[in-house]
Amino acid sequence: MLTLFQFAPAFNVPNPSPYCLKVETYLRMAGLEYRVRSMADPRKAPRGKLPFIELDGQLIADSAIILRTLSERGSDLDAPLDAPGRARALAIARLCDEHLAVLTVYFRWIDDEGWAQIKPAFFGTLPAPLRWIVPGLIRRKLANGYVAQGIGRHSRNELLDFAREDLQALDALLGAAAFFGGAQPCSADASAYGVLANLILATAETPVNRMAREFPRLVAYCQRVREQFWA
Ligand SMILES: N[C@@H](CCC(=O)N[C@@H](CS)C(=O)NCC(=O)O)C(=O)O
C-alpha cells in the first residue's frame, strides 16, 4: 500500500500545499489505492519538504519525482499523449509547480494579508512561548529563500503581474477543453488542480486568490475536477 505523507487539510481544500494536493489528485486520477499520514513538521521529511511517499519500503520525495515513479510503474496519465502532448503537459506542470505555486505560497506567507491568516491557522495551537517565536522564524527562513530564488527581489505589483500572466496562460491553454489533457486528465491536471484549487476554492484570501477567481473557465475547471475526483 502506498502511503502519502502530507500536511493536514486547511482553508477548506484537501491540502493547503499545492504540491501535496497535486500528488493526491494524481493518485485519484490514476485510480490508485493509498493511505494518508498527516505531518505538521516538514523537517522530518527526507528532503525537508512535503509531500513524500512510502512505496515498497522506499521513501520518495518531491511531487515531480513521485509522479514520474508512479508513471514508470504503470500509472502514467500521459500514456495516451503523443510526444508534443507530453512536452506540453511537462511545460504546464512546470509553470504551475515552479512559478504559480511559488507565487501562491509567497502571497500567503510573506504578504501581510495572507500572513494574517496563515499565522493563526498553522501556529495558533502551539503552546506559548513557541507560538510567539516559531512563526516569525519560519517566515524569515522562507523570506530569505525567496530572495535567493529571485521572486523576493520583485515589487508586489511585479509579482501580481507575473501571477496574472500565469493565469492568462493557463486559461488559454485549457481553452474549451474539460482538462489540460483534453477529454481526460493528464499529469498537468494534477499540478494545475494543486495550485488552482488553492487559489480558487481555498478560503485563504490573497490578491492572487481574488485574481484567479476572475477566470470563469478556471473556476469551472476546479469545480469539474472536484466533482469528478474529490466528491
Ligand atoms: N519541489 C517540491 C516542493 C515541495 C514544497 O515546497 N513543499 C513545501 C510546502 S508547500 C514545504 O514542505 N516547505 C517546507 C520548508 O520549505 O521548510 C515538490 O514538488 O514536492
Side-chain angles (χ1 to χ4, degrees), residues 62-225:
D62 192 283
S63 64
I65 297 175
I66 295 168
L67 264 57
R68 190 197 303 146
T69 305
L70 297 175
S71 298
E72 287 167 357
R73 288 173 173 233
S75 299
D76 184 3
L77 288 182
D78 297 343
L81 302 177
D82 58 10
R86 294 175 78 92
R88 179 178 173 276
L90 181 78
I92 294 170
R94 295 285 198 258
L95 168 69
C96 291
D97 297 350
E98 306 300 337
H99 205 256
L100 187 56
V102 177
L103 291 168
T104 300
V105 176
Y106 176 97
F107 271 89
R108 282 186 181 166
W109 283 79
I110 308 301
D111 200 54
D112 287 337
E113 183 187 353
W115 179 240
Q117 299 160 72
I118 285 287
K119 195 176 169 190
F122 291 167
F123 304 106
T125 57
L126 274 184
L130 292 180
R131 188 166 65 241
W132 305 319
I133 301 163
V134 172
L137 288 177
I138 296 181
R139 190 185 192 203
R140 201 161 316 129
K141 188 190 115 187
L142 284 174
N144 290 338
Y146 287 125
V147 173
Q149 188 263 4
I151 75 162
R153 296 161 198 257
H154 291 291
S155 72
R156 190 171 185 274
N157 281 340
E158 285 169 342
L159 295 177
L160 289 172
D161 286 343
F162 286 146
R164 187 170 292 281
E165 286 167 350
D166 290 356
L167 289 162
Q168 281 168 341
L170 287 174
D171 182 59
L173 285 159
L174 179 65
F179 301 104
F180 287 94
Q184 298 299 323
C186 70
S187 60
D189 286 282
S191 288
Y193 188 70
V195 67
L196 290 175
N198 265 292
L199 288 172
I200 289 169
L201 305 178
T203 52
E205 281 303 318
T206 74
V208 190
N209 290 65
R210 289 188 286 277
M211 188 187 285
R213 294 186 197 116
E214 291 170 23
F215 292 83
R217 287 192 296 205
L218 298 181
V219 173
Y221 170 80
C222 283
Q223 288 161 348
R224 188 177 309 123
V225 175

Side-chain angles (χ1 to χ4, degrees), residues 2-6 23 45-73:
L2 183 157
T3 307
L4 169 60
F5 294 83
Q6 59 178 350
V23 171
R47 295 197 186 167
K49 283 181 184 279
L50 295 176
F52 67 94
I53 62 166
E54 185 178 350
L55 186 59
D56 298 339
Q58 235 194 316
L59 299 184
I60 303 164
D62 192 283
S63 64
I65 297 175
I66 295 168
L67 264 57
R68 190 197 303 146
T69 305
L70 297 175
S71 298
E72 287 167 357
R73 288 173 173 233

